[in-house]
Amino acid sequence: MPTIQIKDASDYVGQRVKIGAWLRQKRGSGKMVFLQLRDGSGFFQGVVAKADVSEEVFETAKELKQETSMYVYGVIHEDARSAFGYEMKVDHIDIIGESHDYPITPKEHGTEFLFDERHLYLRHLKPYATLKIRNTLIAATYEFFNKEGFIKLDAPLLTGSAPEGTTELFETDYFGQDAYLSQTGQLYAEAGAMAFSKVFTFGPAFRAEKSKTRRHLTEFWMIEPEMAFYDQDASMALQERYVAFLIEKVLEQNDQELDMLGRDKELLRSYTQLPFPRVSYDDAITLLQDNGFDVEWGVDFGSPEETFLANHFSKPVFIVNFPKAIKAFYMKRHPEREDVVISADLLAPEGYGEIIGGSERDTDYDYLKQRIEEDGLGLEEYSWYLDLRKYGSVPHSGFGLGLERMVTFVTGEEHIREAIPFPRMTHRLRP
C-alpha cells in the first residue's frame, strides 16, 4: 500500500493508500463523519461511513479533535463537488498526536489574535495559500534573473555605513565599533556589477521605523538587482518584465491558492500586459492637483496619492524623475535640471502603492563625495564606494523590490503582515 501526499491523490484513484494528515475540522451525522484533512501539500475530505468500518474506527472518527495528527487509510475517489476534485473513503485511522483546546477554533477571529497565534495560524487556509504564493515568487525570482544572465551576490547584514542615513537603522556594537543592521544591499551590489555586469542580492533588510501602517515592516526581504551599462529606460524595461513574469508564474502554479484567497485572476492577468505607463513626477503632481489633492511640487507621495495614480491607469505605473531633495544621495542628476534625479517608483494598483524603487546611479566622484558630506555620512566609511567611480566607472542602474509588498499585491491581502511567514517585528516585538 503506497504512502502518498494529498496533492498526488489524482494519481491513485481507486487505490487504497495511506496519508499522514492533521484534522482541520469535522462534521457528521449518526451514520457519516466528514473529516477535513490537511497534510502540508493540500486539503481534502476523508469520509468515514459507519456501515463500512468497525465501530472502533467510527467512534475514533467521531471523537477526533481539531489539529489531531493521524494516519488515515482508504481508497481515493473522484469528487466533482469539491474544488480539489478528490476525496478518501476512510476505512482506518491511527492517531499519532492528540490535540486539545486548540485556540483557533472554526469561527471569526480578530487580526491581532491571529498575529499572536501566528505559529499556529500558519496551518490555516489563508496563510497557507499566501506562503505557497510567496514561495512561487521566490523561485520565480531566481528563475528570471538566472535567465537574464545575472549573478547572485549576498550582501552583509551587519554594515558600518548607512546607505540612506542612520535615522532608520538599528544600531549595534561591533566589538567597540558602531554597526548597523543593513537596510539595503544596493551599494555592495554596485561593486558586484562592476565585476559581473549584472547582479542581484536577495536577503533581509531592516528599517527602524516605528510604524503601524499596513504597508511597513521593520524586517522584510528585498530583491535588489544592479546592472552595468543600463540607463533608466533599460532598467524600467527589465523591471516590468520581472513583475509580469512573477505574476504569470503565480497564475500558472497557484490557481488553487488564488481561489482560496478569493483573488480576481483575470484582473491579476491584466497586470502582465506590457509596457506599463511612464508618468513624470511633474505630470503626476499636476494630475493629483487637477483631481482635488492638496499637494505641492517637492513632496513625497503618501498612500492616497499612490493609490489614485495607479488606479487612474488601472495597472502598475512608473512615476519617473523625482525631486533630488527627497531621494538618496547616489541617484544620478537629471542632465537638464539640478532639482531632479533620474529615478522611478513602480506603483501597484488597488491601493498597494510602491512595490519597486529604482534609479540610475551617479558616476561623478566629486559630486558623490559632496553629497555624502552634505548628508552627514562619513567619507571614510564610503571610501570604498567612491573607489567604484575612480576605477573604470560606467553608467549603471538598479532597483529594489520588497518581497512582502509584492506578495501582498499578488495575493490581494489587506495587510502586509499577512505576507510574512513568522511573527517578525512590526510595531511591537513578538516571541
Side-chain angles (χ1 to χ4, degrees):
M1 177 178 56
T3 298
I4 71 167
Q5 289 189 297
I6 289 173
K7 68 180 178 65
D8 299 320
S10 62
D11 297 329
Y12 293 88
V13 174
Q15 297 185 50
R16 187 171 187 264
V17 300
K18 171 184 176 182
I19 297 177
W22 292 267
L23 180 71
R24 288 185 56 240
Q25 300 177 28
K26 76 172 190 293
R27 60 183 177 86
S29 61
K31 298 181 179 180
M32 305 284 285
V33 179
F34 300 95
L35 308 177
Q36 303 302 318
L37 302 170
R38 65 174 187 86
D39 73 341
S41 77
F43 303 81
F44 83 159
Q45 179 173 264
V47 181
V48 186
K50 186 174 184 179
D52 297 331
V53 299
S54 69
E55 182 176 344
E56 179 185 1
V57 170
F58 192 74
E59 287 302 313
T60 297
K62 284 175 59 178
E63 297 302 317
L64 288 172
K65 301 295 191 294
Q66 187 182 7
E67 287 305 313
T68 295
S69 59
M70 70 196 89
Y71 290 115
V72 289
Y73 304 76
V75 177
I76 301 295
H77 294 274
E78 292 188 13
D79 179 15
R81 298 164 298 176
S82 75
F84 181 64
Y86 303 91
E87 66 179 14
M88 173 188 276
K89 188 173 182 181
V90 177
D91 58 40
H92 187 72
I93 299 170
D94 285 336
I95 292 177
I96 303 170
E98 299 279 358
S99 175
H100 300 284
D101 302 318
Y102 184 72
I104 309 178
T105 54
K107 66 176 185 178
E108 289 293 324
H109 293 280
T111 300
E112 291 302 318
F113 172 82
L114 293 175
F115 287 152
D116 287 343
E117 302 293 341
R118 186 177 288 278
H119 56 294
L120 300 176
Y121 185 46
L122 286 171
R123 307 177 182 195
H124 292 247
L125 288 176
K126 192 173 183 179
Y128 171 87
T130 300
L131 293 177
K132 288 275 281 189
I133 290 171
R134 184 180 190 271
N135 189 65
T136 297
L137 292 173
I138 291 169
T141 290
Y142 283 97
E143 181 180 351
F144 177 83
F145 287 113
N146 285 338
K147 285 182 176 179
E148 291 279 343
F150 280 69
I151 296 292
K152 175 158 186 304
L153 298 181
D154 294 314
L157 297 185
L158 282 176
T159 177
S161 59
E164 298 176 12
T166 60
T167 57
E168 296 178 356
L169 289 178
F170 289 104
E171 186 174 357
T172 187
D173 177 78
Y174 186 74
F175 305 108
Q177 299 181 41
D178 290 337
Y180 308 94
L181 290 180
S182 177
Q183 64 179 182
T184 176
Q186 178 216 310
L187 303 190
Y188 301 99
E190 286 193 54
M194 298 302 109
F196 299 101
S197 185
K198 294 191 291 187
V199 302
F200 74 103
T201 65
F202 189 173
F206 305 87
R207 301 283 171 94
E209 296 176 282
K210 196 172 184 180
S211 170
K212 295 184 180 181
T213 76
R214 75 185 187 101
R215 293 187 179 182
H216 293 88
L217 297 170
T218 54
E219 178 187 354
F220 53 96
W221 284 69
M222 284 281 284
I223 299 99
E224 296 181 284
E226 204 72 30
M227 301 81 65
F229 307 106
Y230 268 55
D231 62 12
Q232 172 147 285
D233 289 337
S235 178
M236 287 191 294
L238 179 73
Q239 292 172 48
E240 62 189 4
R241 291 201 309 274
Y242 173 42
V243 169
F245 183 82
L246 293 179
I247 294 173
E248 288 166 355
K249 281 295 181 180
V250 170
L251 288 167
E252 175 187 319
Q253 298 181 13
N254 298 104
D255 185 74
Q256 186 177 8
E257 287 79 18
L258 291 169
D259 285 341
M260 289 178 185
L261 297 169
R263 188 61 162 126
D264 186 332
K265 288 179 282 190
E266 289 310 307
L267 180 61
L268 201 56
R269 197 179 310 278
S270 73
Y271 302 149
T272 66
Q273 301 303 307
L274 304 180
F276 297 151
R278 276 84 160 142
V279 179
S280 72
Y281 174 88
D282 294 348
D283 288 344
I285 287 289
T286 300
L287 181 60
L288 290 166
Q289 291 172 340
D290 289 347
N291 284 274
F293 285 85
D294 183 18
V295 292
E296 298 293 334
W297 194 96
V299 302
D300 204 358
F301 297 137
S303 177
E305 292 81 15
E306 290 181 345
T307 297
F308 172 82
L309 290 168
N311 287 346
H312 180 80
F313 295 94
S314 301
K315 63 192 307 183
V317 55
F318 286 107
I319 307 299
V320 303
N321 300 342
F322 282 77
K324 180 172 72 173
I326 61 173
K327 290 297 184 180
F329 74 89
Y330 47 75
M331 295 189 180
K332 186 177 179 64
R333 295 157 292 172
H334 194 282
E336 299 174 1
R337 294 178 57 179
E338 278 294 321
D339 58 344
V340 168
V341 289
I342 303 176
S343 56
D345 287 356
L346 182 62
L347 309 182
E350 302 180 74
Y352 292 101
E354 180 190 341
I355 54 173
I356 290 180
S359 74
E360 281 193 48
R361 315 313 192 188
D362 210 295
T363 58
D364 186 285
Y365 178 94
D366 293 328
Y367 171 74
L368 284 173
K369 180 180 178 182
Q370 176 186 331
R371 286 300 310 274
I372 289 169
E373 291 176 323
E374 288 174 352
D375 285 2
L377 305 172
L379 281 175
E380 182 178 349
E381 287 86 355
Y382 287 87
S383 61
W384 68 269
Y385 183 71
L386 291 171
D387 278 351
L388 303 179
R389 274 67 182 174
K390 289 171 63 177
Y391 306 112
S393 184
V394 299
H396 60 289
S397 299
F399 63 91
L401 178 142
L403 177 62
E404 281 71 29
R405 287 269 184 100
M406 189 66 188
V407 174
T408 308
F409 167 47
V410 171
T411 60
E413 292 301 296
E414 179 181 352
H415 203 296
I416 195 170
R417 283 191 286 171
E418 296 286 358
I420 59 177
F422 293 108
R424 297 181 180 174
M425 294 177 286
T426 50
H427 61 280
R428 60 197 178 106
L429 288 172
R430 294 294 309 140

